[in-house]
């Protein structure tokens, strides 16, 4: 895939600029060396998890890494040879990166509704914004096969909260924070209830009383997460 091959060249360029070999680079981004070796040889795809590790650990600009446009490093990042003889090292200064929370699969009912009040933020990993997506408020993983083949278990979805200015888009997938927990379904109007529909035909439709729904978020994008 050309996009992956171009990104691979940029990763190799980062290694050249920083003077880090495979062992050092894998340690820097907290990744197993054999997995990094497979990525560098083209045997393993470059998943969003790898991209985030490189961006966060080395101060690489996300847009440059994905598209090749702009500067290699974020503002506030400098290269210095001090402390390491014969090669460059990356010293990352404090840089405030705009992030969005990744909601854990164990999030309890009501978590998404109270997120802005800090109820679950402490339990959330903060990830750099993926600018290729439309505006979104959080991400979370898909679990199970009820939304297959559109979304597979392990895929990560980006979600935008629905408020007065963002109405429900009937027939499209939404994340519902309900009294019974968090569910991901296509939604349809059903009187004083919402009908929830799976993509997988093996799962029957069901309806949830509107009073049992704390909040709703529209799914605006998804990423397939490769194994780390």
């Amino acid at each position: 895939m050309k996009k992956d091959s171009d990104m691979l060249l940029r990763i190799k360029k980062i290694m050249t600029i920083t003077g880090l070999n495979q062992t050092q680079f894998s340690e820097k981004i907290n990744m197993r060396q054999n997995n990094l070796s497979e990525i560098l040889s083209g045997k393993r795809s470059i998943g969003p998890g790898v991209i985030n590790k490189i961006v966060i650990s080395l101060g690489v600009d996300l847009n440059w890494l994905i598209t090749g446009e702009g500067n290699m490093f974020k503002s506030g990042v400098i290269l210095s040879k001090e402390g390491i003889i014969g090669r460059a090292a990356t010293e990352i200064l404090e840089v405030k990166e705009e992030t969005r929370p990744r909601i854990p699969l164990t999030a309890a009912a009501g978590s998404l509704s109270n997120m802005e009040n800090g109820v679950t933020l402490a339990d959330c990993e903060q990830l750099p914004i993926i600018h290729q997506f439309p505006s979104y408020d959080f991400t979370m993983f898909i679990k199970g096969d009820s939304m297959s083949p559109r979304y597979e278990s392990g895929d990560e979805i980006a979600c935008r909260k629905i408020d007065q200015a963002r109405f429900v888009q009937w027939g499209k997938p939404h994340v519902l924070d309900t009294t019974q927990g968090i569910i991901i379904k296509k939604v349809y109007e059903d009187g004083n209830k919402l009908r929830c529909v799976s993509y997988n035909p093996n799962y029957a439709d069901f309806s949830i009383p509107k009073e049992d729904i704390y909040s709703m978020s529209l799914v605006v994008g998804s990423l397939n997460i490769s194994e780390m």
Side-chain angles (χ1 to χ4, degrees):
M1 205 174 166
K2 188 176 187 303
K3 183 178 179 181
D4 268 9
S5 63
D6 289 345
M7 197 182 307
L8 178 56
L9 291 176
R10 288 190 282 275
I11 291 175
K12 291 179 178 179
K13 186 174 182 179
I14 295 169
M15 295 176 66
T16 299
I17 293 294
T18 58
L20 299 173
N21 59 32
Q22 284 193 31
T23 300
Q24 296 160 339
F25 192 82
S26 61
E27 289 175 352
K28 274 282 188 182
I29 66 174
N30 192 28
M31 182 180 187
R32 291 195 294 270
Q33 185 180 347
N34 62 322
N35 286 354
L36 175 61
S37 179
E38 289 182 357
I39 287 175
L40 295 176
S41 64
K43 295 179 180 178
R44 179 186 286 263
S45 62
I46 306 169
V50 176
I51 294 173
N52 285 330
K53 286 175 182 288
I54 293 173
V55 168
I56 294 172
S57 301
L58 296 173
V60 173
D61 183 81
L62 177 63
N63 186 60
W64 177 85
L65 184 57
I66 294 175
T67 68
E69 298 176 357
N71 297 319
M72 179 186 296
F73 294 102
K74 294 180 289 188
S75 174
V77 175
I78 62 173
L79 296 179
S80 172
K81 292 183 179 180
E82 295 180 3
I84 297 180
I85 299 175
R87 67 176 187 275
T90 302
E91 178 185 357
I92 302 179
L93 303 179
E94 185 177 356
V95 178
K96 290 190 176 181
E97 175 75 22
E98 193 174 4
T99 62
R100 290 292 182 270
R102 172 188 283 166
I103 307 301
L105 290 173
T106 54
S111 296
L112 302 184
S113 307
N114 296 318
M115 193 168 59
E116 62 273 10
N117 296 325
V119 174
T120 64
L121 286 180
D123 300 322
C124 297
E125 182 180 4
Q126 296 291 323
L127 301 176
I129 287 180
I130 301 173
H131 295 285
Q132 283 70 22
F133 284 160
S135 174
Y136 67 98
D137 298 307
F138 65 91
T139 67
M140 67 186 304
F141 288 114
I142 294 285
K143 183 177 181 181
D145 64 350
S146 68
M147 296 300 280
S148 177
R150 177 68 176 272
Y151 307 115
E152 301 295 346
S153 185
D155 285 359
E156 187 165 12
I157 54 174
C159 309
R160 184 173 64 215
K161 292 181 181 179
I162 295 173
D163 55 28
Q164 292 180 349
R166 302 167 180 168
F167 299 108
V168 177
Q169 296 187 29
W170 304 115
K172 292 190 175 182
H174 289 70
V175 173
L176 280 63
D177 188 2
T178 77
T179 55
Q180 301 302 311
I182 297 171
I183 61 174
I184 304 168
K185 299 293 177 187
K186 292 186 293 181
V187 296
Y188 297 87
E189 182 70 71
D190 187 18
N192 62 350
K193 298 180 180 180
L194 288 185
R195 183 162 57 92
C196 299
V197 179
S198 303
Y199 280 104
N200 189 334
N202 293 323
Y203 288 79
D205 300 352
F206 60 91
S207 293
I208 299 177
K210 292 179 179 178
E211 61 187 21
D212 289 346
I213 300 173
Y214 295 121
S215 68
M216 295 178 62
S217 301
L218 175 69
V219 178
V220 297
S222 66
L223 291 171
N224 181 267
I225 305 298
S226 60
E227 293 186 1
M228 298 296 295

